[in-house]
Every structure is written in structure tokens, then in C-alpha cells.
Amino acid sequence: MKLQRMNRRALALGALAVSGALALTACGSDETGTAGGDSSNAAAPSNIKCDDASGQVLSDGSSAQKNAVDAWVKQFSAACKVEINYKAGGSGAGVTAFTQGQVPWAGSDSALKPEEVAASKKICSGGQGINLPMVGGPIAVGYNVPGVDKLVLDSSTIAKIFDSKITNWNDPAIAKLNPGAKLPNLKIQAFHRSDESGTTDNFTKYLIATAKKDFPYEGGKAWQAKGGQSAPQSSGVAAQVKQTAGAIGYFELSYAKDGIKTVAIDTGAAKPVEATVDNATKAIAEAKVVGTGKDLALQLNYGTKAEGAYPMVLVTYEIVCDKGNKAETLPAVKAFLRYAASEDGQKILAQNDYAPMPEEIITKVRTTVDSLS
């Protein structure tokens, strides 16, 4: 009996030793810097290059790209020992935080203005802030009109709606674009962003480029048109549209969830164009790089009439110092942006209702990210 007890004890100790060895193996890291020890890490993409990235990175900016950043962070953080905290307080807040040195990179749906580039030189030692186009997509016009499942509008009608010149859903201008639709005698509740937003900037750029007579404003991140109601961030506008009968608002396609219907745009092409990722990519492909040096700011063609090209698009830039980045955050920021611009990172966009950058553009982004210092 004593011998049997000793044998059982030896077996138990042996099992503990094996399990301990396995646990130590799981706690190690592979050559990409992937931390082991849980199922999420085990499933992380093996081709994410972490380099020396570690610690925590704070960022702020465009709420338009929040769903894209969340998807990137999930994969990147599973592979690398880095915690990415993206606040998504809006493009204006992000640019301000960047130029004040509060965050090492920011997201903005509008390229830096000359005065913002000048401000960035104070925090980019020997360098300046640059624009890296990373996320594309359609700005959807979502609506909530009971009994109307499909709606076509053109830029002139959209401009008049958001400038309080068309105030009822059975207006003749809307009826003309939607023959056969049962448009109700219902007041239009137009919602715009309350915070400074690159989404607003791009939305109004489209209206100014295609319906200047009906939208006589300078445009910009802050809303300028008359009337309407406001809500914070894209999520706030989408929530108001969903819960308010007669509502209409603008936000990225990724926010058009839970039954929110979107407008098809009459661009002058043979058929009205739906807000889809593929249709947005067709429009973005017409963009030209107008930035100089390492800056990759784009000029979009809002007035495109190409078949299937959805003209109301935005491109979100990741804004970062070309050189003079802080040593403590550069490895993590560089590794994260490298992954976002990678083939895998861009594939994730389409899965979340965003448009990947055209190959010609994203190739330049990858080269620039590798050169950050």
C-alpha cells in the first residue's frame, strides 16, 4: 500500500511538472512578438510585425473610422503587447490633440490645414504632421420615413433639405425623383453633427461642388447651414435618425445599422447610385495625391458621374509626424500603422462597411509608414 501511494504521488508530481512546462511555454512569445496564454492570442494573425512595440498608446480623432480602428486594435493587440486607446472624439478634437502633443497620432476625415501643419512642427522635432490616407467609405444619407423603403435624392434636393428649404417629405422636388413612392405628409427632421467633424467637411464639400447655388456656404468641419437639429458624432446622428420618424442625417455607412435605410443618389449617371463599399471605391479611385513630400493628402472628385461611382465619400487620414516622433511611442505607432496599411488590415475594412484604399495609394502609404522616425 505504501508503495502504491508513493507511485501515485510520483505520477501526480509528474503531471504537475508537465502542465507547468506547458504553461511556461504558453506564456512565451513568438518571433512576431505575439504573447501567448489565451485563445485570442492563439488566433491572432501570425504576420503582424510587432518589432519593439509595447506599452499603451492614446489616440483621438475621427469617429467615422472608429469601427475600423476597433477591428484593427482587436487583431493588433492580440498579436502585440500594446494597448491602443482610440477615443474617437471627432476629427477636430483629434487634430487639436495631435498639434498640442497630447497624442502621437490622430484620425481625421480632412487633411491638415496649413496652419495645423505649422502647429505640428512644434511637436514634431525637425519634422511635421503628414496625412496618410488609410480608410475610405461612403457617407450614407440615412432616413426614417414610414412606408418608404427606397428613396432617391440628388445633390440639389439634399442641399435644400439640410438648409431648411425643403421641409416636408411630400415636397414636389422629392416626389419628382421618386415616382410611385407613397411620400407622407410628414415634417422633415434633418440632423447634422454638433461637433467639428471631417464627416461634415466631406458632406458639405460634396454639396458645394455639385449644388453650390442651393448650398451657399464655405464648408468646413463645423456645420454652417440653417435650421435642423444636431447630435454628437456619427453614432449620435445615426441614433437620432433611427428613433425619429421623418428624420434624415449623414454618417458613414458602417453606422447605417439596425434597419436604417439609405438614400440612393441621382448623380446624372444612367441609374441612381447606392451607398456601398464597392461604389465608394470606384469614386476614390479617381482621387489625386496633392500632398507634397511624404504627405499623401488626396483631392477627391465629388462631381463624378461615372457609372456606379458613389460620389459622397470620405477618406480618413492617420496623422503622424514624418520625423521627430517620441521615442517611447514610435515603435508602437509605427507597428500599428504598418498593420493597418497591410493587405490584411485593408481587407478588414471591407468586412466592416469601409472601402480599402486603391492599391496605388496604399502602396505609397506603406512606404511612408516604414520611413517614420
Side-chain angles (χ1 to χ4, degrees), residues 60-72 86-92 107-110 134-140 193 195-203 232-236 250-256 313-318 349 352-355:
D60 197 359
S62 165
S63 64
Q65 70 167 5
K66 182 181 185 302
N67 294 333
V69 173
D70 286 349
W72 285 335
Y86 184 71
K87 187 178 178 182
S91 296
S108 176
D109 307 325
S110 302
M134 202 78 82
V135 181
I139 300 174
R193 288 281 289 271
D195 53 322
E196 288 199 356
S197 161
T199 311
T200 293
D201 192 14
N202 285 276
F203 178 64
Q233 304 179 358
S234 293
S235 57
Y250 59 90
F251 36 78
E252 296 68 42
L253 182 61
S254 63
Y255 289 92
V313 295
L314 61 76
V315 169
T316 295
Y317 299 96
E318 310 313 326
L349 296 180
N352 290 273
D353 294 323
Y354 293 99

Side-chain angles (χ1 to χ4, degrees), residues 143-144 235 238-239 241-243 251 253-262 353:
Y143 69 96
N144 180 349
S235 57
V241 170
K242 182 181 178 181
Q243 69 188 26
F251 36 78
L253 182 61
S254 63
Y255 289 92
K257 302 292 186 183
D258 302 325
I260 296 179
K261 301 178 181 67
T262 59
D353 294 323

Side-chain angles (χ1 to χ4, degrees), residues 166-362:
I166 292 178
T167 58
N168 203 287
W169 280 110
N170 63 358
D171 187 279
I174 300 176
K176 184 178 179 179
L177 291 165
N178 296 274
K182 295 181 179 180
L183 298 168
N185 181 15
L186 179 66
K187 183 181 178 181
I188 294 175
Q189 307 280 354
F191 286 90
H192 56 263
R193 288 281 289 271
S194 60
D195 53 322
E196 288 199 356
S197 161
T199 311
T200 293
D201 192 14
N202 285 276
F203 178 64
T204 54
K205 278 179 180 176
Y206 164 73
L207 296 178
I208 291 167
T210 58
K212 178 65 175 177
K213 182 180 70 173
D214 301 310
F215 201 81
Y217 301 97
E218 295 180 1
K221 294 178 183 177
W223 185 256
Q224 298 171 347
K226 299 175 182 178
Q229 303 176 61
S230 65
Q233 304 179 358
S234 293
S235 57
V237 174
Q240 290 296 329
V241 170
K242 182 181 178 181
Q243 69 188 26
T244 308
I248 188 170
Y250 59 90
F251 36 78
E252 296 68 42
L253 182 61
S254 63
Y255 289 92
K257 302 292 186 183
D258 302 325
I260 296 179
K261 301 178 181 67
T262 59
V263 168
I265 297 180
D266 182 346
T267 64
K271 296 192 301 183
V273 186
E274 300 282 349
T276 69
V277 168
D278 289 343
N279 291 347
T281 298
K282 291 177 184 177
I284 295 171
E286 297 186 24
K288 297 179 180 179
V289 175
V290 293
T292 58
K294 294 183 178 180
D295 184 80
L296 298 176
L298 302 176
Q299 183 179 57
L300 298 169
N301 181 14
Y302 295 103
T304 180
K305 295 182 180 179
E307 295 299 326
Y310 186 83
M312 198 185 302
V313 295
L314 61 76
V315 169
T316 295
Y317 299 96
E318 310 313 326
I319 295 170
V320 66
C321 297
D322 57 356
K323 55 184 177 179
N325 289 278
K326 294 179 180 179
E328 60 267 29
T329 54
L330 176 60
V333 170
K334 195 170 180 178
F336 179 72
L337 294 181
R338 183 191 295 120
Y339 166 63
S342 71
E343 185 176 348
D344 286 344
Q346 291 291 297
K347 281 181 179 178
I348 282 180
L349 296 180
Q351 297 168 11
N352 290 273
D353 294 323
Y354 293 99
M357 288 294 98
E359 190 62 28
E360 181 180 351
I361 293 173
I362 202 64

Side-chain angles (χ1 to χ4, degrees), residues 4-16:
Q4 289 176 340
R5 286 196 297 269
M6 290 175 65
N7 287 338
R8 284 197 297 269
R9 184 180 180 189
L11 286 170
L13 289 170
L16 284 171

